[in-house]
Amino acid sequence: MILRSSISTACCRPVTRLPRKNLSLYSPSTKPFFVTTPIFYVNASPHIGHLHSLVLTDVLARFAKLRSPQRKVIFTTGTDEHGLKIQQAAKAQGVEEGEFCARVSQRFRDLADRANVGYTDFIRTAEPRHYRAVEHFWNRLVESGDVYKGTHSGWYSISDECFYSEKQIRQDESGKIVAIETGNEVVWEEEENWKFRLPRYRERLLSWADRPESIHPLSMKSFVTSQMASVEDLSISRPRSRVRWGVPVPGDPNQTIYVWVDALINYLTVLGYPASADGWPVDVHVVGKDIIKFHAVHWPALLMSAGLEPPRQVLSHAHWTMGKFKMSKSRGNVVDPIAAMDKYGPEPIRWYLMREGGSLPDDSDFNLDQLNANYSVLAQQFGNLLNRVTSPKIVQKMGSITSHHPLPDFDAALSSARDRVEGFMSNHQITKACEVILNLIADANKLVTDMRPWEANNDATIPVLYAYQALRISGILAQPFMPVKSSEMLDRLAVDPTQRTWNDATWTGRSGFDALALKEQLSRSLPGSLFPRLNP
C-alpha cells in the first residue's frame, strides 16, 4: 500500500514518542560487534527464508557500523554440512558428500553475494579449522564432568536431526508419527551415545533468559523459558554406523558428534577458537523461530559447561508463507530468491523483506502484488522526489532563503528522524524504522506537490531545501537497508562521501543555510532513474 501524507505546506505528520532505547548492543565499545546468521543446512537449495535471515543480519551489522563507525564489526554466515540428511541427499544424487556439500554451499554464498550481504566470514563446517574447534570444545565438556556414555531411546526426526519426547509427538491424518512442532516424521531409535547433563544448568539458563536483552521477541522468551523447565540429559553423539558424515568424537571413533552440537560451535570457529575468541560473547545470534531451542537452551548451557559466556542476545524471526501457507515444493508455493532479485533488483527485495517482514514475531506472507506495490512506492517516493530536487528547471529557480513559509513540524520531523530510527532499531522494530524513513520522504513529496516550485511565480528554494534534507537524511539512514541505492541517491545529491555518517544525519534548521551553495551543488547532479520501470 502506498503511504500518503497528510501534511500541508506548514506541517507534516506528528512525531510520535520514541520507543525505549536499548543502546548497549550498538553503542561504541572496544569489543567488536559480533552478529551471526544461522549456518544454513545444505540438504537443499536456498529459499526466501534464508535470504530473509541474511538480509536481517546484514541490516543489523550495517546499522552497528553506521551507529559506531570506529567499532569493528564481525558478521558471519555459512553452511552446516554434516549429518544423516546430507548422507541421504548426496546418495540420492549419486555423489560423494563432500562434492554435494561444496556445490550446495556455493549456492548460499552466491545468494549472499547477490543480495549485497557484507559478511566478514563464510564458514563451512567441513573445514579443518572447524574440526579443530569442535574437538577442543568437546574436550572442555568432558573436563567439566558434564559428559557421560549412556544409552538413549526416543523418537528421532531425520528432517529435524532431533530427538523428541512422547509429549512432543502425535499421529497425523495418514497414521504417521510426527513431531508436533515441525510436522516432520519421527521414528523410534535406541542407541548408545554420549550424553550431556543439561539439567545441571537449568537455574543458570533461567537466570540468563531472565535478562531483558537475552531473547527477543518476548513471545520467544516465554517459549524458551517453558522449555527450560523440563530439560533432560541431551544426546550429543550418534553411532558412527548410522551417521558417519560428521566430526568423530575425540577418543571414540565409533561415535559421531551430534550435528547440532557440531554446528553451533561454528560461532566460535570463525573467531579463531581455540587459539582466539576475540569478539565473544556474540552480540546477536539471528535465527529462525524453528531453531530457537537449540540456540537459546542447548547452546548457552554448552557454553557455560565449556567455561564461556552465553550469547548476549538470541534474536528470533518468524517465517515467510505464500498464500498463507508454509512454503513447500509439493505445494508449489516456493519463492526463488535469485529469480526475485533478477527481476526487481537486490535492493528492492531487501527493502521488501525488511519493510514487510521486519515485524519479527509474526509470519509474513510473500505476495507479488504487495512486492510490486512496494517497488512502486520506492519509485514514486524516493525516485520521484530525487528527480524533482535535481530537475534543472526547478534548481535554476532557487534564490536566497526567504523568511516566509515557517515549517516547524517539518523541522521537527527532520531533526528527530535519526533518533527515531535509532530507537526502533535498538529494539529490533525493523518495520517501524523503515516507516520513519519512508514517511519522511512521503511528507517531502507532499510538500513539493503543495508548493509547486515548477510554476513561474512560486518559490523553489524552500521546497527544494526541505526535500533535499529529507533525501539526504533518509539516504544516510537507509544505508543499512539499501546500501547501493542509498549511495546512488547521495551521489545524485552530490553529498560528499565523507559526510554520510551517523553524525551527519541531522538537521539544525534553516538558520545560516546557504541556498546558493545548494543550488550550485544540485546543478552538478547527473540524470538517472533510481528505480527504473520494471520489465513485464
Side-chain angles (χ1 to χ4, degrees):
M1 178 180 293
I2 297 176
L3 299 178
R4 297 189 180 277
S5 170
S6 60
I7 65 167
S8 69
T9 56
C11 66
C12 64
R13 71 188 78 236
V15 177
T16 57
R17 188 171 63 180
L18 301 181
R20 182 179 60 83
K21 295 181 182 179
N22 174 21
L23 296 184
S24 59
L25 289 174
Y26 299 106
S27 299
S29 172
T30 56
K31 176 196 171 300
F33 180 81
F34 182 22
V35 61
T36 72
T37 73
I39 54 171
F40 305 116
Y41 207 50
V42 297
N43 64 312
S45 294
H47 53 66
I48 201 71
H50 297 123
L51 180 59
H52 182 231
S53 292
L54 283 163
V55 172
L56 173 58
T57 312
D58 188 53
V59 167
L60 300 183
R62 290 180 185 273
F63 180 76
K65 192 66 176 178
L66 178 65
R67 175 65 179 79
S68 303
Q70 302 306 314
R71 186 180 183 185
K72 180 181 179 181
V73 171
I74 303 172
F75 165 23
T76 67
T77 187
T79 47
D80 177 5
E81 303 183 13
H82 292 141
L84 187 56
K85 277 195 294 186
I86 304 302
Q87 284 181 203
Q88 294 179 339
K91 183 178 180 180
Q93 294 194 16
V95 298
E96 293 295 321
E97 290 91 349
E99 178 185 346
F100 176 84
C101 290
R103 188 168 62 216
V104 182
S105 178
Q106 187 60 47
R107 293 175 191 160
F108 282 92
R109 189 189 292 264
D110 291 343
L111 176 68
D113 293 343
R114 182 77 175 90
N116 300 322
V117 171
Y119 56 86
T120 59
D121 196 334
F122 189 99
I123 175 71
R124 295 181 56 196
T125 58
E127 295 179 53
R129 60 170 173 160
H130 184 61
Y131 274 64
R132 291 191 296 270
V134 172
E135 290 166 359
H136 183 86
F137 190 92
W138 179 278
N139 289 332
R140 293 298 301 272
L141 298 180
V142 173
E143 292 166 6
S144 72
D146 292 328
V147 172
Y148 66 96
K149 192 74 168 284
T151 57
H152 188 85
S153 60
W155 295 97
Y156 190 76
S157 166
I158 296 174
S159 295
D160 302 332
E161 297 277 15
C162 179
F163 278 102
Y164 290 100
S165 69
E166 291 285 349
K167 295 179 180 180
Q168 296 173 307
I169 63 169
R170 66 176 178 84
Q171 189 173 45
D172 69 7
E173 298 79 4
S174 67
K176 293 179 180 178
I177 306 299
V178 299
I180 295 173
E181 186 176 339
T182 65
N184 291 324
E185 186 176 7
V186 297
V187 294
W188 182 262
E189 292 191 356
E190 296 183 12
E191 59 191 36
E192 183 181 57
N193 53 29
W194 291 91
K195 306 187 82 171
F196 174 72
R197 293 185 171 93
L198 183 58
R200 281 188 176 182
Y201 292 90
R202 181 184 291 113
E203 294 307 315
R204 288 180 65 184
L205 286 170
L206 288 168
S207 177
W208 169 77
D210 191 53
R211 297 183 339 201
E213 73 276 11
S214 292
I215 302 168
H216 186 90
L218 285 176
S219 57
M220 281 294 110
K221 182 188 287 284
S222 300
F223 169 77
V224 168
T225 53
S226 70
Q227 295 287 306
M228 291 175 180
S230 58
V231 293
E232 300 175 348
D233 285 1
L234 179 67
S235 174
I236 57 172
S237 76
R238 301 294 310 280
R240 202 153 184 82
S241 59
R242 290 183 173 175
V243 185
R244 60 176 175 79
W245 184 245
V247 183
V249 170
D252 189 352
N254 294 320
Q255 292 277 317
T256 301
I257 295 176
Y258 175 44
V259 62
W260 265 108
V261 175
D262 158 15
L264 289 164
I265 297 167
N266 94 88
Y267 303 126
L268 292 170
T269 302
V270 294
L271 300 179
Y273 182 86
S276 170
D278 182 36
W280 196 262
V282 66
D283 290 275
V284 188
H285 280 318
V286 174
V287 302
K289 65 180 182 180
D290 55 327
I291 57 174
I292 184 71
K293 178 178 66 176
F294 300 102
H295 286 82
V297 179
H298 299 171
W299 181 224
L302 291 166
L303 287 164
M304 292 170 187
S305 177
L308 295 166
E309 292 184 57
R312 292 189 65 191
Q313 184 174 86
V314 178
L315 173 64
S316 167
H317 65 77
H319 292 162
W320 281 88
T321 59
M322 193 171 189
K324 303 300 182 181
F325 289 100
K326 183 179 179 180
M327 292 186 189
S328 68
K329 290 183 179 179
S330 60
R331 191 179 290 275
N333 64 343
V334 175
V335 178
D336 180 350
I338 295 293
M341 288 189 287
D342 286 345
K343 178 174 181 180
Y344 296 91
E347 308 260 311
I349 294 295
R350 287 173 61 102
W351 178 265
Y352 173 69
L353 293 177
M354 296 299 98
R355 178 70 180 86
E356 302 298 335
S359 177
L360 303 181
D362 305 315
D363 286 349
S364 300
D365 199 59
F366 195 96
N367 183 291
L368 289 177
D369 289 339
Q370 190 180 58
L371 175 56
N372 286 319
N374 268 265
Y375 189 92
S376 295
V377 167
L378 292 174
Q380 294 170 12
Q381 296 294 344
F382 284 93
N384 182 54
L385 187 62
L386 181 61
N387 288 338
R388 284 173 155 184
V389 164
T390 59
S391 165
K393 178 180 178 181
I394 295 177
V395 170
Q396 289 306 310
K397 289 188 67 205
M398 293 178 64
S400 60
I401 289 289
T402 55
S403 59
H404 60 293
H405 296 305
L407 299 171
D409 288 340
F410 211 131
D411 287 331
L414 289 169
S415 62
S416 68
R418 185 183 67 178
D419 286 346
R420 297 177 70 214
V421 166
E422 180 178 49
F424 288 129
M425 289 297 295
S426 297
N427 287 278
H428 301 315
Q429 295 174 285
I430 313 298
T431 293
K432 290 187 177 181
C434 291
E435 287 178 1
V436 172
I437 296 168
L438 188 56
N439 286 343
L440 196 61
I441 295 296
D443 289 343
N445 261 310
K446 180 66 164 56
L447 176 68
V448 173
T449 297
D450 287 350
M451 297 191 72
R452 306 176 69 82
W454 51 85
E455 293 187 354
N457 296 323
N458 288 351
D459 174 47
T461 302
I462 294 297
V464 170
L465 167 62
Y466 277 91
Y468 166 81
Q469 293 298 343
L471 284 165
R472 183 186 66 84
I473 292 172
S474 294
I476 293 172
L477 297 176
Q479 289 176 110
F481 304 93
M482 298 186 292
V484 174
K485 290 298 182 182
S486 294
S487 179
E488 289 180 13
M489 183 165 67
L490 294 170
D491 286 347
R492 288 271 305 276
L493 294 171
V495 177
D496 191 300
T498 66
Q499 298 176 354
R500 302 177 184 185
T501 70
W502 184 255
N503 289 336
D504 295 311
T506 57
W507 167 251
T508 57
R510 286 157 29 186
S511 176
F513 193 85
D514 190 339
L516 295 179
L518 177 60
K519 177 179 180 179
E520 194 278 330
Q521 179 179 329
L522 293 176
S523 67
R524 301 195 303 268
S525 177
L526 298 175
S529 180
L530 194 62
F531 295 99
R533 186 184 301 273
L534 294 172
N535 294 322

